[in-house]
Amino acid sequence: MTTPATSPAATTAASHRATTAPTTTPVPWNPQRPSPMPHHRYRPFQDRVDVPVTERTWPSARVERAPLWVPVDLRDGNQALAEPMDTPRKRRFFDLLVGTGFKEIEVGYPSASRTDFDFVRHLVTTDAVPDDVTPVVFTPARPELIDRTFESIAGLPRAVVHLYIATSPVWRDVVLGRDRGEVWRTVREAAERMARRAEAARDSHVRFQFSPETYNLTEPDFVLELCDGLTRLWDASPDRPVTHNLPATVEIATPNVYADQIEYMHRHLARRDSVILSVHPHNDRGTGVACAELAVLAGAQRVEGCLFGNGERTGNVDLVTLALNLYAQGVDPMVDFGDIDAVRDTVEHCNRLPVHPRHPYGGDLVYTAFSGTHQDAISKGLARHARRAAESGVPAERLPWEVPYLPIDPADVGRSYEAVIRVNSQSGKGGVAHLLRTHHGIDLPERMRPDFSRVVQEATDDSGREATPKELYELFAATYMAEGDVRLHDWSIHQEAPGVHRFVCTLQSGDRVGDHEGTGTGPLSAFVDALAGAGHQVDIVDFAEHKADGESTAYAECRSNDTTVWGAARAASALTASVEAVLSAVNRALR
């Protein structure tokens, strides 16, 4: 999208460099004014790191295949927990990841704690790693910790050893106290030690991974120097590639900037066919998902993250959202989230953290509508989907999905339609009608829906809470199907000639009981004539009836006692339901 040159909301990087301070000149249509917050304390990304890509190609790219997903819940996610996982919880999480279809899994930081070391050994001694799954272990660039890491994976048939070191200027100056040359020397010595240990581990096929931590704040030429140096040192080849993982350790800019940084590396890495270009976005700006998606467009082949986005601060990028975003675009995510609630239950148990009700795809409320306009659109969409399936002969679960407000079919991730529409004081006639129809077989006529919607809104306004389908039906029955002062004790209908019906009944009106009869062109007009004989003037304005599961439901809109009201009834016989619906309307009018 091209931003107009006159827009005050966005500028190019070039114009940022040419301007010492952003303009604060008011514009007529925007009444917002400067805040008292000290924003001048923070520097924009272009003053902190150079992003040399100028002829970017990622905006026109398309994702047609899922990247290699690498969950880091057992390491990066685990170290962010107030109560880190023990071996039983880690094993449950690992089994979930394997069962879901992940093929490369970071299983721990074995040099950091006895618990992590023991878990990696547990995977080895219990033969828990399937033949097509590769564990990843994490190590800093320190000799004794590298040795400890290799001790942990002894006996694994395959593994990736993941080396990391922080590389940005602020880390070099404030934390490490090393210049660029000293950082490269530390990395080279660590990488050489890893190569020697891997050569000695004859029982394992070990590959290597490198992460220049704080990559997105590091000079691009320095990262390229480090990565290309390790590619040579580890003698990467297409059949034994090295993984270069580029973390947005703390988000610093809009996602397009990260995409530019990734495209730069994608274009300039040496031995590109021997390198797996990986990303590890965090979510400090709330754009971790966007950063990952744009990074894949820019050339990333592998994405590290956590299920539902656990991790330090605001978390790692969410692999569930990323995978199902692809799914919603018709791309196979290559992992199975067909039972999203089971996945979420395991993650919540192992992390001891709840998943937010509004979390994309997995939250309790993400396929739920309370708003009346949303409910009406969804109800119509579901009904149309069912009709199209029936007409085409294609099962509904295989038919292309086109339902308003629902980006994917909830059934595809194991959710039922029961909770899609829920009713409160914000709901409308469409949602109320949908719940009565799907849960109780009550198919309200269009003209009746606004009437019952007002009844429901009054009830939910008074209670201040949601109405369940059971409560809706009880409210419907109490409103439209309750007995009143006028009752039929005995009645019968006779067709005396074509188009001539006689209705004979015993009718009670309050304390008065009497026998009455009436004639008409049909059963209901004959009943209305009988009611007139008892002193109840009735006009039938509208009428509907349907049958489901062997039971008939009738709806009658009648004008009586100077008011127009609806009545309804259910019975085994369509005629009985029709008569009782008219009688219900008469009683409502009297009330």
Side-chain angles (χ1 to χ4, degrees), residues 484-486 509 527-528 531 536-539 556 558-561 563 565-567 579-591:
D485 288 342
V486 182
S509 298
F527 177 43
V528 166
L531 285 170
H536 302 288
Q537 297 297 323
V538 179
D539 292 322
C558 299
R559 186 179 296 109
S560 178
N561 200 33
T563 187
V565 293
W566 281 91
V579 169
E580 291 181 355
V582 172
L583 187 64
S584 173
V586 171
N587 279 309
R588 287 196 70 213
L590 288 173
R591 288 200 299 271

Side-chain angles (χ1 to χ4, degrees), residues 96 100 307-308 336-337 339-347:
L96 168 70
T100 304
L307 302 194
F308 301 109
D336 182 6
F337 289 125
D339 189 350
I340 196 69
D341 289 338
V343 173
R344 189 189 67 189
D345 289 347
T346 297
V347 172

